[in-house]
Short mmCIF file of all heavy atoms in Angstrom, two decimals:
data_model
loop_
_atom_site.label_atom_id
_atom_site.label_comp_id
_atom_site.label_asym_id
_atom_site.label_seq_id
_atom_site.Cartn_x
_atom_site.Cartn_y
_atom_site.Cartn_z
N THR A 136 100.09 94.48 113.73
CA THR A 136 99.05 95.54 113.62
C THR A 136 99.54 96.67 112.75
O THR A 136 98.97 97.81 112.85
CB THR A 136 98.82 96.11 115.01
OG1 THR A 136 100.00 96.51 115.62
CG2 THR A 136 98.11 95.11 115.93
N GLY A 137 100.50 96.44 111.81
CA GLY A 137 100.90 97.51 110.90
C GLY A 137 102.30 98.01 111.29
O GLY A 137 102.84 97.66 112.35
N PRO A 138 102.84 98.80 110.39
CA PRO A 138 104.23 99.23 110.60
C PRO A 138 104.36 100.07 111.84
O PRO A 138 103.52 100.98 112.05
CB PRO A 138 104.53 100.04 109.31
CG PRO A 138 103.26 100.37 108.72
CD PRO A 138 102.31 99.33 109.12
N PRO A 139 105.35 99.77 112.68
CA PRO A 139 105.50 100.56 113.91
C PRO A 139 106.09 101.93 113.57
O PRO A 139 106.76 102.10 112.63
CB PRO A 139 106.53 99.71 114.73
CG PRO A 139 107.31 98.97 113.72
CD PRO A 139 106.39 98.73 112.50
N GLY A 140 105.81 102.83 114.48
CA GLY A 140 106.31 104.19 114.33
C GLY A 140 106.65 104.78 115.69
O GLY A 140 106.17 104.28 116.70
N PRO A 141 107.47 105.83 115.68
CA PRO A 141 107.81 106.46 116.93
C PRO A 141 106.60 107.18 117.51
O PRO A 141 105.65 107.47 116.78
CB PRO A 141 108.92 107.43 116.54
CG PRO A 141 108.67 107.70 115.08
CD PRO A 141 108.04 106.52 114.53
N PRO A 142 106.64 107.54 118.76
CA PRO A 142 105.55 108.38 119.40
C PRO A 142 105.48 109.70 118.63
O PRO A 142 106.44 110.12 118.04
CB PRO A 142 106.00 108.56 120.83
CG PRO A 142 107.09 107.59 121.10
CD PRO A 142 107.67 107.18 119.74
N ASP A 143 104.29 110.29 118.67
CA ASP A 143 104.06 111.50 117.89
C ASP A 143 105.06 112.61 118.17
O ASP A 143 105.45 113.32 117.31
CB ASP A 143 102.61 112.05 118.19
CG ASP A 143 101.64 111.21 117.44
OD1 ASP A 143 102.03 110.50 116.44
OD2 ASP A 143 100.41 111.26 117.75
N GLN A 144 105.46 112.68 119.46
CA GLN A 144 106.43 113.78 119.78
C GLN A 144 107.80 113.54 119.24
O GLN A 144 108.61 114.43 119.17
CB GLN A 144 106.51 113.99 121.32
CG GLN A 144 107.03 112.83 122.12
CD GLN A 144 105.94 111.86 122.57
OE1 GLN A 144 104.90 111.81 121.95
NE2 GLN A 144 106.14 111.14 123.66
N LEU A 145 108.02 112.25 118.82
CA LEU A 145 109.33 111.96 118.18
C LEU A 145 109.15 111.79 116.73
O LEU A 145 110.10 111.46 116.02
CB LEU A 145 109.89 110.66 118.77
CG LEU A 145 110.32 110.66 120.19
CD1 LEU A 145 110.94 109.38 120.58
CD2 LEU A 145 111.34 111.75 120.47
N ARG A 146 107.94 112.00 116.19
CA ARG A 146 107.70 111.82 114.76
C ARG A 146 108.61 112.70 113.91
O ARG A 146 108.58 113.92 114.05
CB ARG A 146 106.27 112.08 114.42
CG ARG A 146 105.78 111.73 113.06
CD ARG A 146 105.99 110.26 112.75
NE ARG A 146 105.26 109.36 113.57
CZ ARG A 146 104.05 108.96 113.25
NH1 ARG A 146 103.38 109.37 112.25
NH2 ARG A 146 103.44 108.08 114.08
N PRO A 147 109.45 112.12 113.11
CA PRO A 147 110.41 112.87 112.35
C PRO A 147 109.67 113.72 111.24
O PRO A 147 108.60 113.43 110.88
CB PRO A 147 111.36 111.87 111.70
CG PRO A 147 110.98 110.60 112.26
CD PRO A 147 109.53 110.73 112.77
N ARG A 148 110.42 114.81 110.80
CA ARG A 148 109.98 115.55 109.69
C ARG A 148 110.06 114.67 108.48
O ARG A 148 111.09 114.14 108.17
CB ARG A 148 110.78 116.82 109.53
CG ARG A 148 110.53 117.62 108.34
CD ARG A 148 111.45 118.82 108.27
NE ARG A 148 112.86 118.43 108.28
CZ ARG A 148 113.48 117.99 107.22
NH1 ARG A 148 112.89 117.91 106.03
NH2 ARG A 148 114.79 117.72 107.28
N ALA A 149 108.96 114.57 107.73
CA ALA A 149 109.02 113.66 106.52
C ALA A 149 109.25 114.49 105.28
O ALA A 149 108.82 115.62 105.20
CB ALA A 149 107.69 112.91 106.42
N GLY A 150 109.99 113.88 104.35
CA GLY A 150 110.24 114.57 103.10
C GLY A 150 109.57 113.92 101.97
O GLY A 150 108.69 113.05 102.16
N PRO A 151 109.87 114.31 100.68
CA PRO A 151 109.22 113.75 99.56
C PRO A 151 109.66 112.27 99.32
O PRO A 151 110.71 111.89 99.73
CB PRO A 151 109.69 114.60 98.37
CG PRO A 151 110.95 115.23 98.85
CD PRO A 151 110.84 115.36 100.34
#
Side-chain angles (χ1 to χ4, degrees):
Chain A
T136 54
D143 282 342
Q144 64 269 25
L145 292 184
R146 187 60 61 89
R148 173 182 58 80

